[in-house]
Amino acid sequence: MKTLLKLYEEIEKEDIDILEVKFNKKKAGIISIDDDVTIIIDYSKIEDEKEEKIIIAEEKAHYDTGSFYTLNASHELMDRMEYKARKRVYNELIPYNVLKELSAKLSLDELSEYFGVPVKDIIMASFLYTNIENFATTWYNSLTNSP
C-alpha cells in the first residue's frame, strides 16, 4: 500500500511545493499559477497520519488529474473536480479488488489499519465502488436487454 512518505516523495519529484498556513475552516487546498503548483495545508487541523495521508493524496490527485477550479467556479464544477480527485485517491489507496476481498474478512477498523486511512474513507470508497458497480451492471443490462 502507498504510504504517506511515498506520497510526499511523489510530490517532491513533481516539484510541487507545500506551504503550511493557518485556515479558519479548511484543512488543505492546492493552487496552480502558471506552471507553479503549491499544496497549502493547515497541519494543526489534521488529527492523525491517516487523515494526513488522505488529504495529501487528494491534493496530489487534483494535480494528477488536472481537476483544478477557480474560487468563483460553480458548485457543480467544484463537485465534479472534487469527485474526480477523490475517485483517484480511492483507486490508489483503497483499490476496489483488495477492498472487496478484505471487506468479507476484516472489520472497518481493521480495514482502516490495513489501508492506513480513516474509517470514513473506507466507507466512502465502498459507496463509490458500489455506485460504479451498480451503474455498470444497469448499463450492461440495458445494452444486452437482460433483466
Side-chain angles (χ1 to χ4, degrees):
M1 294 297 123
K2 190 176 281 190
T3 65
L4 180 58
L5 178 60
K6 178 69 174 161
L7 287 166
Y8 278 114
E9 288 171 353
E10 291 174 1
I11 287 167
E12 185 176 341
K13 185 177 178 185
E14 293 289 344
D15 201 27
I16 300 170
D17 295 322
I18 296 180
L19 177 64
E20 185 172 0
V21 299
K22 295 289 182 199
F23 284 120
N24 288 330
K25 296 179 182 176
K26 290 183 63 64
K27 294 180 182 182
I30 189 165
I31 56 173
S32 176
I33 302 171
D34 298 324
D35 290 332
D36 195 16
V37 178
T38 302
I39 293 173
I40 49 178
I41 188 164
D42 186 346
Y43 287 105
S44 71
K45 288 191 172 53
I46 298 173
E47 292 182 30
D48 56 25
E49 187 174 314
K50 290 177 185 178
E51 183 181 26
E52 182 180 352
K53 182 178 176 181
I54 282 289
I55 289 170
I56 292 296
E58 183 173 346
E59 299 311 329
K60 184 179 178 301
H62 279 286
Y63 171 80
D64 290 341
T65 61
S67 53
F68 296 101
Y69 52 86
T70 61
L71 294 175
N72 62 349
S74 70
H75 287 293
E76 179 185 348
L77 177 62
M78 287 186 214
D79 288 347
R80 275 199 330 261
M81 296 299 104
E82 291 298 331
Y83 174 80
K84 188 175 181 180
R86 188 53 67 126
K87 188 168 83 169
R88 172 73 170 253
V89 169
Y90 292 155
N91 284 330
E92 285 187 0
L93 300 185
I94 313 167
Y96 171 74
N97 290 337
V98 179
L99 179 61
K100 187 174 182 177
E101 178 185 336
L102 293 178
S103 63
K105 303 171 190 173
L106 302 176
S107 70
L108 280 173
D109 288 334
E110 291 170 323
L111 289 167
S112 171
E113 288 302 315
Y114 179 84
F115 291 108
V117 300
V119 168
K120 74 178 181 86
D121 289 291
I122 298 294
I123 294 167
M124 294 301 294
S126 297
F127 283 135
L128 173 82
Y129 293 139
T130 300
N131 288 338
I132 291 171
E133 196 172 74
N134 288 343
F135 173 79
T137 301
T138 302
W139 179 74
Y140 175 80
N141 288 341
S142 72
L143 292 176
T144 61
N145 295 320
S146 300

